[in-house]
Amino acid sequence: MLEIRHLKTLIAIQESGNVSSAARRVHLTQSAISHQIKALETHYGLPLLERKGRSYGLTDAGKRLAELGKTIFSEIRRAERDLSGMHENQSGSMRIALECHTCFDWLMPVMDAFRKAWPEVEVDLVSGFHSDPVSLLDDRADIVILSDALKREGISYHPLFKFEMLAVLPIDHRLKAKRFLLPEDFAEETLISYPVPDERIDLMREVLIPSGIRPPRRTAELTVAILQLVASRRGIAALPSWGLSNYLEHDYVIARRIGRKGLWSGLYAAMIREMSDHPYMADFLSLLKENCFSKLKGVVPI
Amino acid sequence: MLEIRHLKTLIAIQESGNVSSAARRVHLTQSAISHQIKALETHYGLPLLERKGRSYGLTDAGKRLAELGKTIFSEIRRAERDLSGMHENQSGSMRIALECHTCFDWLMPVMDAFRKAWPEVEVDLVSGFHSDPVSLLDDRADIVILSDALKREGISYHPLFKFEMLAVLPIDHRLKAKRFLLPEDFAEETLISYPVPDERIDLMREVLIPSGIRPPRRTAELTVAILQLVASRRGIAALPSWGLSNYLEHDYVIARRIGRKGLWSGLYAAMIREMSDHPYMADFLSLLKENCFSKLKGVVPI
DNA sequence: GTCCGATTATGAATGAAATTCATGAATTGA
DNA sequence: TCAATTCATGAATTTCATTCATAATCGGAC
């Protein structure tokens, strides 16, 4: 009766807080999830979801099953790693290139976990950015984390997640009363960003350039440095929501939506198609996804 | 990809030593098992079964997955017990009646495990035998372990396993050269058995009475006592193969097949249909089955 | 209050995929 | 060598999870 897929679903619900986005996460329709849960509930004769108006969470029983799921998945991964160890190909290289500066923040723990699991694989971060990041796969990198998936033959793209870019303002900024910012609002501000060309900045490419607005820019290498500049009123920035929660909670800065619907961006992992068969690559990908969804607030599956 | 059912299958193969009987165990055809294993093998790119002529077992990879299965199932059972604990009905009674004397031997560990898991349930062994054991369910027992499944309305029967009854002889018996015994062979022997009427002895009911042979009988309450009497040449007995392996290995007695095809008997658990819904009953049943197949040699699913 | 948007529930239809069926090949024991 | 087992495999079938279509529910905006 109980199947792996049920546990996957429950965990997705727990982590995303509602059925619809859990459905997206496990690549099913909302209907499928509802049916699954209902089947489980009638089987165990216990409610698994708490449907109290807006707040929608797992009951104790649901939580217990989600917990079961987590231990089971970690057991499965351990076993599958052991299996991979019985293969020949357990050594190799993994050069990771990042298009997105902020990604350093969550990539580190993933890399650590990976190194533990695959001590024979040589992991490297490829620094230096490129106008066509995919071309790095030709010689300099084995996997590229990038935000635009321009398909190219022979390259496989693995969607990681979607997230919102928020405008970051000092706490007492003149725009703080607005619920969301419009392109005009940026006209008189200095935009603080990573040191990359305009077209590599989502806010510029998607919002400001189309509106003909070109605010002065100032750059910093590290996310914390950008935030510090914002906090000290040197300008405003646009950063992924998931990198911000800590600073927002401590009232270091404030964040506002960009445009009525928000400015959304997606992250993908790209690699030479043949590479994705390598067990260690598959494992890295699953570590990657798992980590995003369980650790990063506000990320949504693509 | 990997699913619960695969793990069930692998464990069944490991415990039964070949695909066909594993198939019976999981209530599938042999073909289904083959397909399943093949799918797993191509997915992991590793062989899971060792097909070396006669000896047919799991490879290291297969063993690793079977191990994974076992830990997963024990996790699942733990979780499901916790879920049952969230129910109201966690107390109750469980009076077990046995038709088969030898069953005491393997029932004890099951009862112990059960008592640990369901401390609130009062477990009792109902002693005293009955010509119609099912009728015990009317008032004196909640579950009956019996060897013949005469269906009765409102009673649910749960097949446990099938096993062979072997004739047990002293090591230097005159019949020791025979590969199997025929009814005539019993004519001059004393039959040592549990103290129950002729019709309750499989050997009598199925073999000797139909052949008009009525050897003298002598009885003992305990299996060890019967074996002792046999070893000291007071007669021969017929006992389930799974209760014998210890004694055979130590050359305390020898065992021979009864009839060319052997004398087979089946064991069932019967209970009032409504009872089988109770979570603790379901749990007891699964403990029961699990225990039979993993601990008893030579038992086959029905 | 009610209209709208978002979210969940549910029955029926669909479709993918697991299972069975029908064989063939391989091995063993008589 | 012949029957009897056991496993493998491609095709047919059946099962059952998922999707589709739609209703119900709920909260917030006006």
Side-chain angles (χ1 to χ4, degrees):
Chain A
M1 172 62 225
L2 184 71
E3 286 290 342
I4 303 270
R5 93 189 93 91
H6 296 125
L7 300 175
K8 278 213 176 88
T9 300
L10 277 169
I11 292 177
I13 293 178
Q14 185 173 51
E15 281 176 0
S16 61
N18 73 62
V19 171
S20 302
S21 65
R24 262 169 268 139
R25 185 114 125 225
V26 294
H27 303 292
L28 288 174
T29 60
Q30 166 273 129
S31 174
I33 306 290
S34 278
H35 283 297
Q36 277 190 13
I37 297 294
K38 193 187 165 195
L40 278 186
E41 287 183 329
T42 61
H43 178 245
Y44 286 117
L46 285 166
L48 300 177
L49 294 187
E50 210 131 39
R51 288 103 167 159
K52 291 198 202 133
R54 60 150 55 278
S55 83
Y56 198 94
L58 299 183
T59 62
D60 285 350
K63 281 181 199 147
R64 180 65 186 85
L65 283 181
E67 185 195 322
L68 170 69
K70 281 176 205 153
T71 73
I72 281 187
F73 290 126
S74 85
E75 288 293 337
I76 289 181
R77 252 210 321 288
R78 272 179 46 194
E80 292 188 331
R81 257 179 220 141
D82 290 349
L83 288 202
S84 310
M86 300 173 185
H87 252 130
E88 270 67 86
N89 258 12
Q90 43 182 323
S91 68
S93 85
M94 161 110 93
R95 295 160 301 167
I96 309 170
L98 288 187
E99 193 195 10
C100 149
H101 270 75
T102 327
C103 293
F104 281 120
D105 298 345
W106 55 266
L107 195 63
M108 289 303 163
V110 177
M111 286 173 61
D112 288 344
F114 181 80
R115 255 192 274 259
K116 244 179 235 142
W118 299 87
E120 308 275 307
V121 175
E122 191 144 332
V123 185
D124 254 320
L125 260 180
V126 176
S127 64
F129 294 82
H130 202 286
S131 58
D132 176 18
V134 173
S135 70
L136 290 170
L137 292 172
D138 291 335
D139 48 351
R140 302 191 36 220
D142 301 301
I143 182 167
V144 177
I145 312 285
L146 73 179
S147 62
D148 245 334
L150 316 158
K151 306 271 162 176
R152 202 178 91 179
E153 200 47 46
I155 307 286
S156 66
Y157 294 87
H158 305 264
L160 297 177
F161 56 83
K162 207 165 72 174
F163 58 89
E164 186 170 1
M165 300 286 294
L166 295 177
V168 190
L169 319 175
I171 46 174
D172 53 358
H173 195 272
R174 63 175 175 99
L175 294 170
K176 76 171 175 188
K178 301 198 69 168
R179 312 246 342 230
F180 54 87
L181 306 190
L182 295 174
E184 309 82 84
D185 295 325
F186 291 89
E188 333 228 307
E189 304 289 335
T190 299
L191 182 61
I192 301 170
S193 68
Y194 298 108
V196 294
D198 281 0
E199 315 76 47
R200 292 275 315 284
I201 312 258
D202 293 300
L203 173 62
M204 293 296 295
R205 189 183 60 248
E206 305 288 337
V207 180
L208 301 187
I209 295 180
S211 311
I213 294 169
R214 294 250 176 187
R217 281 182 53 197
R218 177 166 177 181
T219 63
E221 281 278 354
L222 298 174
T223 312
V224 277
I226 294 180
L227 283 160
Q228 216 199 322
L229 287 169
V230 171
S232 52
R233 301 190 203 74
R234 305 299 156 81
I236 67 181
L239 290 172
S241 63
W242 43 262
L244 252 38
S245 40
N246 263 329
Y247 304 97
L248 296 177
E249 276 166 22
H250 294 90
D251 295 322
Y252 191 60
V253 291
I254 58 175
R256 291 292 176 267
R257 173 159 280 199
I258 297 166
R260 177 176 287 275
K261 293 262 169 188
L263 172 61
W264 290 80
S265 183
L267 231 41
Y268 300 77
M271 62 184 75
I272 308 282
R273 191 177 308 286
E274 291 80 52
M275 282 301 268
S276 53
D277 292 338
H278 276 274
Y280 69 82
M281 276 299 207
D283 198 32
F284 183 72
L285 273 180
S286 68
L287 276 173
L288 219 50
K289 290 189 196 174
E290 186 183 329
N291 218 267
C292 317
F293 289 122
S294 66
K295 299 278 169 60
L296 302 181
K297 294 260 291 181
V299 309
V300 174
I302 299 184
Chain B
M1 171 64 225
L2 184 69
E3 287 290 341
I4 303 271
R5 94 189 92 91
H6 296 125
L7 300 175
K8 279 215 176 87
T9 300
L10 278 168
I11 292 177
I13 294 178
Q14 186 174 51
E15 281 176 2
S16 61
N18 74 62
V19 172
S20 302
S21 65
R24 263 168 267 140
R25 185 114 123 223
V26 294
H27 303 293
L28 288 173
T29 60
Q30 166 270 324
S31 176
I33 306 291
S34 278
H35 284 296
Q36 276 191 13
I37 297 294
K38 193 187 166 194
L40 278 186
E41 287 183 329
T42 61
H43 177 246
Y44 287 115
L46 286 166
L48 300 178
L49 294 188
E50 209 132 38
R51 288 103 165 158
K52 292 196 200 136
R54 58 150 58 276
S55 82
Y56 198 94
L58 299 183
T59 62
D60 284 349
K63 281 181 199 147
R64 180 66 186 84
L65 283 181
E67 185 194 321
L68 169 68
K70 280 177 205 153
T71 74
I72 280 187
F73 289 126
S74 84
E75 288 293 338
I76 290 181
R77 253 211 320 289
R78 271 179 45 192
E80 293 189 331
R81 258 180 221 140
D82 291 349
L83 288 202
S84 310
M86 299 173 185
H87 252 131
E88 271 67 86
N89 260 9
Q90 43 182 324
S91 68
S93 85
M94 163 110 93
R95 296 160 300 167
I96 310 169
L98 288 185
E99 194 194 11
C100 150
H101 269 77
T102 326
C103 294
F104 280 121
D105 298 346
W106 55 267
L107 195 62
M108 289 303 163
V110 177
M111 287 174 60
D112 288 344
F114 180 80
R115 255 191 274 259
K116 244 181 233 137
W118 299 87
E120 308 275 308
V121 175
E122 190 145 330
V123 185
D124 254 321
L125 259 180
V126 176
S127 65
F129 294 82
H130 203 282
S131 58
D132 175 20
V134 173
S135 70
L136 289 170
L137 291 172
D138 292 333
D139 49 351
R140 302 195 33 222
D142 301 301
I143 183 170
V144 177
I145 312 286
L146 73 179
S147 61
D148 246 333
L150 317 157
K151 307 269 161 177
R152 202 178 89 179
E153 201 45 49
I155 308 286
S156 67
Y157 294 86
H158 305 263
L160 298 177
F161 56 83
K162 208 163 71 172
F163 57 89
E164 185 170 3
M165 301 287 294
L166 295 177
V168 190
L169 319 175
I171 47 173
D172 53 358
H173 195 271
R174 64 178 174 97
L175 294 170
K176 76 172 175 188
K178 301 198 71 170
R179 312 250 341 231
F180 54 88
L181 307 190
L182 296 174
E184 309 80 85
D185 294 325
F186 290 88
E188 331 229 308
E189 303 290 333
T190 299
L191 182 62
I192 300 170
S193 69
Y194 298 110
V196 294
D198 282 1
E199 315 76 48
R200 293 276 314 286
I201 312 261
D202 293 300
L203 174 62
M204 293 296 294
R205 188 183 59 251
E206 305 288 335
V207 181
L208 301 187
I209 295 181
S211 311
I213 292 168
R214 295 251 175 187
R217 282 182 53 199
R218 178 166 174 178
T219 64
E221 280 278 356
L222 300 172
T223 313
V224 278
I226 293 179
L227 283 159
Q228 216 200 323
L229 286 170
V230 170
S232 53
R233 301 188 202 76
R234 304 300 155 80
I236 67 182
L239 291 171
S241 63
W242 43 263
L244 253 39
S245 41
N246 263 329
Y247 304 97
L248 296 175
E249 276 166 22
H250 293 91
D251 294 323
Y252 190 61
V253 291
I254 57 175
R256 290 293 176 267
R257 174 158 278 198
I258 297 167
R260 175 176 290 274
K261 293 263 171 187
L263 171 62
W264 289 80
S265 183
L267 231 42
Y268 300 77
M271 61 185 75
I272 307 282
R273 192 177 308 285
E274 291 80 52
M275 282 300 270
S276 52
D277 293 337
H278 276 274
Y280 68 81
M281 276 298 209
D283 198 32
F284 183 73
L285 272 180
S286 68
L287 276 174
L288 217 52
K289 289 189 196 174
E290 187 184 328
N291 217 269
C292 316
F293 290 122
S294 65
K295 299 279 169 61
L296 302 180
K297 296 259 290 182
V299 308
V300 175
I302 299 185

